[in-house]
Amino acid sequence: MDEFTAWRQLRKDQLDVVTRGQLLARGFTDGAIRAQVDADRWQRLHDGVYALFSGPLSPEAHRVAALLACRGAALLSHETAGELHGFIRPDPRRPIHLTVPYGTSAFRSEGLHVHRSRAFAHIGVVGAEPPLTSKVHTVLDLAVAAPDASEAARLAHQLAVDAGVRPLALEQAVELRRPPRHRRAIADAVGLLRSGVLSELERRYLQDVEVAHGLPVGQRQAPVVVDGVDRYEDIAYDLPGGRAIVRLDGFGYHRDTFTALTDRRRSVAAAVAGTPSIPYGWTEVTKLPCRTAREVETVLRPLGWNEQLLCCARCRA
């Protein structure tokens, strides 16, 4: 490949974002670079990083510039990696997060948030372009960065569900990195995932309805057969007098006709079997957990549950 073709390919690969070193190697001088910037033909993005055009940058070009600004090994991480993996909603106002090896010289640049990791060699996606942290390590990074243990547990659980991260993978990531913050909270999130609590709504039901009111903790993802096909109910209470089912439907759960049909068939199968089946959504679980607990109690009593329903702090209020 000749020099001109190589330069053209480099510009294409880097979306016309280059470093001072790459420009000097191409024959430009510092004076020539300054002249292009002063004439508004080029843009200085970070120290030693330039866009060879004057218009707005795409998000991809901003990320290329951030990686080049690190002047060495770097991975897009935290919220930025979560956006690229698809489980964090993009926000153009958010700074770009990067992780570099522990011991890398400190630097600051507007719009960048740089982290350092002793486990740098183990947390990236092999061969990814742009380079970024893996899903499981992105989830762990965001949980560790949470302001308190409660939020760390919530984030670790919800992001693991959204990212499709298995509890064993998250557990292994914690063991590898041994984070200094929120390790117990993240372990609690792993426990929820292992027990089949697979959404924020299910987590809130467990904590605010069952545990807070002393209800039995039902079986999560309980297998049922509907029309000869294996399906799963969110929560099943198996008591001496029979089974009761609680179905938790989050916002938008029935957007496609197949899911809606499957849910109706599960309701029919429960009715034919004489199994009480109660549907709850976000409002009943998060806004009215005490009323929901009393309703579940009413269903469970005839089936043999005879413990005392507890008053939580919200009940007393």
Side-chain angles (χ1 to χ4, degrees), residues 61-290:
H62 275 296
R63 291 192 286 265
V64 169
L67 290 163
L68 292 175
C70 293
R71 302 181 184 179
L75 299 167
L76 299 170
S77 64
H78 294 74
E79 285 90 345
T80 307
E83 290 180 5
L84 291 172
H85 284 303
F87 62 86
I88 296 287
R89 182 174 296 178
D91 183 350
R93 299 166 298 178
R94 185 181 289 139
I96 294 176
H97 289 259
L98 305 111
T99 293
V100 298
Y102 190 82
T104 300
S105 298
F107 75 94
R108 291 184 178 180
S109 190
E110 185 178 355
L112 304 185
H113 191 144
V114 181
H115 311 262
R116 288 164 179 79
S117 174
R118 296 181 186 273
F120 182 85
H122 307 285
I123 63 177
V125 178
V126 176
E129 193 58 46
L132 77 167
T133 52
S134 68
K135 284 185 178 182
V136 64
H137 287 289
T138 302
V139 169
L140 182 56
D141 282 337
L142 292 169
V144 170
D148 54 54
S150 175
E151 180 65 3
R154 188 195 71 79
L155 277 175
H157 176 262
Q158 185 60 52
L159 294 177
V161 171
D162 292 345
V165 168
R166 295 183 179 276
L168 177 60
L170 184 55
E171 196 171 46
Q172 290 173 335
V174 172
E175 184 63 26
L176 170 70
R177 297 174 61 182
R178 297 189 171 275
R181 303 175 71 239
H182 306 323
R183 202 181 305 176
R184 177 61 183 273
I186 296 168
D188 290 343
V190 170
L192 290 178
L193 293 167
R194 286 191 182 281
S195 67
V197 178
L198 301 182
S199 72
E200 175 65 7
L201 181 58
E202 292 180 29
R203 187 182 76 86
R204 293 290 298 271
Y205 180 88
L206 171 67
Q207 294 180 348
D208 297 348
V209 177
E210 286 182 337
V211 175
H213 296 91
L215 287 169
V217 174
Q219 179 187 355
R220 265 55 187 181
Q221 314 308 319
V224 294
V225 177
V226 180
D227 298 332
V229 178
D230 291 335
R231 304 290 185 193
Y232 297 89
E233 293 288 5
D234 295 321
I235 304 163
Y237 298 98
D238 290 309
L239 296 164
R243 165 176 278 195
I245 289 169
V246 167
R247 190 170 298 143
L248 300 175
D249 294 336
F251 175 76
Y253 185 74
H254 292 147
R255 285 181 180 173
D256 64 273
T257 56
F258 176 77
T259 301
L261 174 61
T262 299
D263 193 66
R264 291 199 302 272
R265 295 306 299 166
R266 285 193 300 163
S267 297
V268 170
V272 170
T275 302
S277 177
I278 323 167
Y280 287 122
W282 184 258
T283 298
E284 299 98 306
V285 171
T286 65
K287 306 296 185 185
L288 302 165
C290 306

